Amino acid sequence: MKILVIGSGGREHALVWKLRQSPRVSQVYCAPGNAGAATEAECLPADVKSIDSLLALAARVKPDLTVVGPELPLQLGVVDEFTRHGYRIFGPTQAAARLESSKSFAKEFMQRYHIPTAHYAICDRPEDVSDALPHFHMPVVVKADGLAAGKGVVICKSKEEASATAAEMLSGKMLGGAGSRVVIEECLKGEELSFLALSDGERVVALAAAQDHKRVGEGDTGANTGGMGAYSTEAMVDGQMQNWLLQHIVRPVVFGMKAEGAEYKGVLYCGLMMTARGPMVLEFNCRFGDPETQPILMRLESDLVEALEASIEGRVSDGDFRWSADAAVCVVMASGGYPGTFEVGKRISGLEDGEKVTGVKIFHAGTTKHDDAYFTAGGRVLGVTARAPSLEIAVERAYEAVGKISFGGAYYRKDIAARALAK
């Protein structure tokens, strides 16, 4: 069986790593991939912003299954086009992916189907923002409507800051077309949780939960990023809470999308805030998260290929996943300056020593390789991931491995999973 993974980040390296463990898989391709994925798959050039480019690649390699990593190809309709050309592909259609590609669509959808979420206002003009803000207590969250690689969310402490942020988004100066509409949202308090489920359009089953660390600075300070680290443990969500989340969030989404003619097949990532009022949806992603996928797949003991095929073929069941009771943690090593301006081309050393630490796997994100040496090629460079019998040991091992790796300007948070350990 030949599998094509679309994307180039740490999530895609993790997917490649897990998919090739299936005894049914003979070849894995990754397009365009990265230097780490290239050690476990054949990386092929492709433009993830171009469906024609991806179709041309599929015509060449003839994959038995394609797995989409990032959100942009889903928004562009890669699943629709691959299906139309006879290629089996895992992920939601363009219409179903609107849950992620348009925050205003997602908020209005949640309101229609009584899915718990924060109070909000949708604004197309600065005047709409001025009208909406008096109805919110500070702080308030300003979100770009479109895809912004995890950077389209700003927590504003005052109405003046919120007005200025929204105006900058709406002008296109901040995020281009992604900010042509904004959502103003109440700022929820509580613990964040990434709850993922697999759907075949009717049935759903939960995956292991995780917690992402989105802010660049320790103590959850500074700008939002694509994610600076994540952890996953068996204790994060008990059976009763898992059933509640499936019943009150995931199933209403799948039912609602089908009722609206956009059957949802694939992974549904529910970004939640566990508040005093109960779980509330912050956002939906229509694919595996990054970096949550890294620790989640480290804990997966069953065949990922079987589960993805069950979603495509309409036979998802509770037996699709087997999970280790171990904990796993991923620490992202980023280029200095990320998520703002940063330099690339810095030589990376210590990767072999890092992977010698017990239970550690290093997933590459923004890396490239020249003359047997690895170099930085992006904002998030590596996801140093460890699995161990306890979260405390997993954290120790991940940071031990991080300590063996270096490159110019390397930056990472030193408090991944610290709140969980403090409890």
Side-chain angles (χ1 to χ4, degrees), residues 76-140:
L76 296 175
V78 68
V79 171
D80 310 65
E81 286 303 305
F82 268 54
T83 302
R84 194 166 69 84
H85 283 80
Y87 300 113
R88 282 205 315 164
I89 184 167
F90 173 79
T93 61
Q94 185 177 42
R98 286 184 71 200
L99 281 171
E100 178 172 9
S101 63
S102 172
K103 289 187 174 62
S104 60
F105 171 83
K107 295 298 281 192
E108 291 174 332
F109 177 88
M110 285 186 270
Q111 191 171 40
R112 287 197 294 279
Y113 293 95
H114 311 291
I115 296 165
T117 189
H119 300 307
Y120 70 97
I122 296 168
C123 304
D124 293 301
R125 304 169 303 153
E127 300 84 62
D128 300 336
V129 178
S130 299
D131 291 342
L133 284 175
H135 299 284
F136 291 88
H137 295 291
M138 295 299 115
V140 71

Side-chain angles (χ1 to χ4, degrees), residues 54-382:
L54 296 171
L55 279 171
L57 177 61
R60 200 163 90 243
V61 303
K62 295 181 173 52
D64 300 298
L65 172 65
T66 297
V67 182
V68 187
E71 56 272 32
L72 184 58
L74 295 173
Q75 180 195 20
L76 296 175
V78 68
V79 171
D80 310 65
E81 286 303 305
F82 268 54
T83 302
R84 194 166 69 84
H85 283 80
Y87 300 113
R88 282 205 315 164
I89 184 167
F90 173 79
T93 61
Q94 185 177 42
R98 286 184 71 200
L99 281 171
E100 178 172 9
S101 63
S102 172
K103 289 187 174 62
S104 60
F105 171 83
K107 295 298 281 192
E108 291 174 332
F109 177 88
M110 285 186 270
Q111 191 171 40
R112 287 197 294 279
Y113 293 95
H114 311 291
I115 296 165
T117 189
H119 300 307
Y120 70 97
I122 296 168
C123 304
D124 293 301
R125 304 169 303 153
E127 300 84 62
D128 300 336
V129 178
S130 299
D131 291 342
L133 284 175
H135 299 284
F136 291 88
H137 295 291
M138 295 299 115
V140 71
V141 185
V142 179
K143 296 182 173 181
D145 183 59
L147 298 178
K151 299 161 199 168
V153 177
V154 181
I155 298 173
C156 301
K157 295 176 182 172
S158 68
K159 290 179 180 177
E160 293 75 20
E161 184 186 0
S163 292
T165 300
E168 195 175 4
M169 286 186 184
L170 289 167
S171 73
K173 293 175 185 173
M174 191 174 184
L175 297 164
S180 59
R181 168 179 281 183
V182 299
V183 175
I184 309 292
E185 199 171 89
E186 71 169 313
C187 189
L188 299 174
K189 293 181 180 177
E191 282 280 323
E192 285 198 42
L193 179 75
S194 301
F195 183 74
L196 284 72
L198 183 73
S199 169
D200 64 7
E202 276 190 31
R203 289 160 291 274
V204 297
V205 63
L207 281 73
Q211 187 178 76
D212 187 12
H213 295 59
K214 288 196 180 300
R215 307 290 281 275
V216 71
E218 284 156 26
D220 292 323
T221 57
N224 258 25
T225 70
M228 292 301 297
Y231 71 94
S232 175
T233 70
E234 193 176 44
M236 293 181 83
V237 176
D238 62 24
Q240 186 176 357
M241 177 55 74
Q242 183 183 93
N243 288 336
W244 193 96
L245 294 172
L246 288 172
Q247 187 65 27
H248 294 277
I249 295 175
V250 178
R251 287 195 180 98
V253 169
V254 173
F255 167 83
M257 293 306 285
K258 186 166 187 176
E260 297 190 7
E263 185 179 59
Y264 193 98
K265 290 188 173 189
V267 166
L268 179 68
Y269 168 122
C270 307
L272 308 176
M273 185 70 83
M274 310 301 278
T275 77
R277 285 146 55 191
M280 311 276 277
V281 177
L282 295 172
E283 64 175 359
F284 291 120
N285 292 338
C286 295
R287 34 75 192 180
F288 288 100
D290 189 352
E292 295 96 329
T293 299
Q294 290 85 306
I296 286 174
L297 291 186
M298 286 283 276
R299 293 186 55 220
L300 179 61
E301 299 205 317
S302 50
D303 191 325
L304 181 58
V305 174
E306 298 283 350
L308 303 189
E309 286 189 322
S311 169
I312 295 168
E313 296 168 9
R315 50 180 179 82
V316 161
S317 74
D318 288 335
D320 288 330
F321 296 104
R322 281 194 325 277
W323 301 100
S324 167
D326 286 356
V329 62
C330 172
V331 178
V332 170
M333 298 187 72
S335 297
Y338 173 80
T341 305
F342 55 85
E343 294 181 353
V344 298
K346 307 293 185 182
R347 186 173 181 138
I348 306 168
S349 61
L351 290 169
E352 286 186 12
D353 291 337
E355 283 211 318
K356 286 177 184 173
V357 177
T358 303
V360 166
K361 172 69 180 175
I362 298 171
F363 295 111
H364 289 231
T367 65
T368 187
K369 190 177 184 183
H370 304 291
D371 300 326
D372 292 328
Y374 291 93
F375 297 86
T376 66
R380 292 188 294 173
V381 178
L382 303 167

